Amino acid sequence: TLDQLRLTAIITGTSTPLAMVEDPRQKGHTVKIGTRIGNNGGRVSTIMRDKLIITEVFRDAAGRKQKNRVVLTLPQEILTFGQ
């Protein structure tokens, strides 16, 4: 699940920003905007300097489309490392 992922790195300032997330087994995965992630059809929708936003689209019990945004934030120690 998305709550088990940890954001470990972000590369911005390029035409294709990238991020690295770590799964519970400590395996790293590189993602970009549009990458499918998680068990509920999530997609990376935004990569910013300090966070990654994943949008999940699903249907509720009544059949209506719903969106759930999950924000993964870089740990503070990683943010201050490069400064």
Side-chain angles (χ1 to χ4, degrees):
T1 63
L2 296 177
D3 60 345
Q4 295 177 312
L5 297 177
R6 186 171 91 95
L7 183 59
T8 57
I10 292 179
I11 300 171
T12 58
T14 66
S15 61
T16 307
L18 300 171
M20 169 122 359
V21 294
E22 192 175 90
D23 67 23
R25 294 172 293 174
Q26 298 182 332
K27 181 178 179 187
H29 303 273
T30 304
V31 298
K32 61 184 179 180
I33 294 173
T35 299
R36 296 182 69 85
I37 189 168
N39 298 329
N40 296 321
R43 286 192 184 268
V44 175
S45 54
T46 306
I47 298 176
M48 301 169 80
R49 185 178 88 62
D50 61 343
K51 67 182 102 181
L52 170 75
I53 300 174
I54 300 163
T55 303
E56 296 176 314
V57 178
F58 61 94
R59 295 204 180 267
D60 64 14
R64 295 182 299 250
K65 260 190 176 179
Q66 301 291 322
K67 287 186 180 182
N68 180 43
R69 286 179 28 150
V70 177
V71 179
L72 301 179
T73 305
L74 274 176
Q76 188 62 35
E77 64 269 13
I78 294 175
L79 278 173
T80 57
F81 178 73
Q83 296 181 4

